[in-house]
Amino acid sequence: NLGPLVGDEVVMAYFHPKKVGLTMYPTKSLFDFQRVKNLQPAARITISFTITENSILLATPGGDLVRAPGDYVLTFENGAGEILSKDLTIHGEQVVVEPFPGKVSSEIFV
């Protein structure tokens, strides 16, 4: 906290797909955040994020959530516009983690 007052801060964790094997994907997706409360003036705090296999999922055009191999950038951003970034490459095959639910029949049974 560089200011003279006690403050709160929210640090947001995003992933940015750069080169993945899907035709459509978001430019940036929030996968976690942490709120730091009552940060005293001139105080510093270290926070950490756990990134699991399922932290970085993308939706296919059919609605399946997949773990897609490719190049990503992880960014950690605060409300003051400060950004820390790290490149990430996921290797292997695309894996469907959560299939899109099947279509519900519109038939009415009497």
Side-chain angles (χ1 to χ4, degrees), residues 68-107:
D71 296 326
Y72 297 81
V73 176
L74 302 177
T75 61
F76 305 91
E77 307 177 20
N78 68 7
E82 297 171 327
I83 299 174
L84 173 68
S85 64
K86 178 70 177 161
D87 292 333
L88 171 72
T89 300
I90 297 176
H91 300 280
E93 298 296 319
Q94 182 171 294
V95 175
V96 175
V97 175
E98 187 175 327
F100 188 76
K103 294 183 180 178
V104 177
S105 174
S106 61
E107 295 179 24

Side-chain angles (χ1 to χ4, degrees), residues 3-97:
L5 303 173
V6 175
D8 291 0
E9 183 64 86
V10 176
V11 179
M12 297 155 286
Y14 294 95
F15 71 91
H16 308 255
K18 294 298 179 186
K19 185 178 177 188
V20 295
L22 297 174
T23 56
M24 296 174 28
Y25 48 85
T27 57
K28 174 173 152 175
S29 288
L30 178 74
F31 70 87
D32 201 358
F33 70 93
Q34 290 188 34
R35 182 179 187 97
V36 178
K37 294 184 177 185
N38 300 316
L39 193 57
Q40 299 298 313
R44 296 179 143 233
I45 188 168
T46 300
I47 62 171
S48 61
F49 291 90
T50 300
I51 302 167
T52 67
E53 293 178 331
N54 293 339
S55 295
I56 302 172
L57 298 178
L58 296 171
T60 65
D64 295 333
L65 291 179
V66 298
R67 193 171 324 110
D71 296 326
Y72 297 81
V73 176
L74 302 177
T75 61
F76 305 91
E77 307 177 20
N78 68 7
E82 297 171 327
I83 299 174
L84 173 68
S85 64
K86 178 70 177 161
D87 292 333
L88 171 72
T89 300
I90 297 176
H91 300 280
E93 298 296 319
Q94 182 171 294
V95 175
V96 175
V97 175

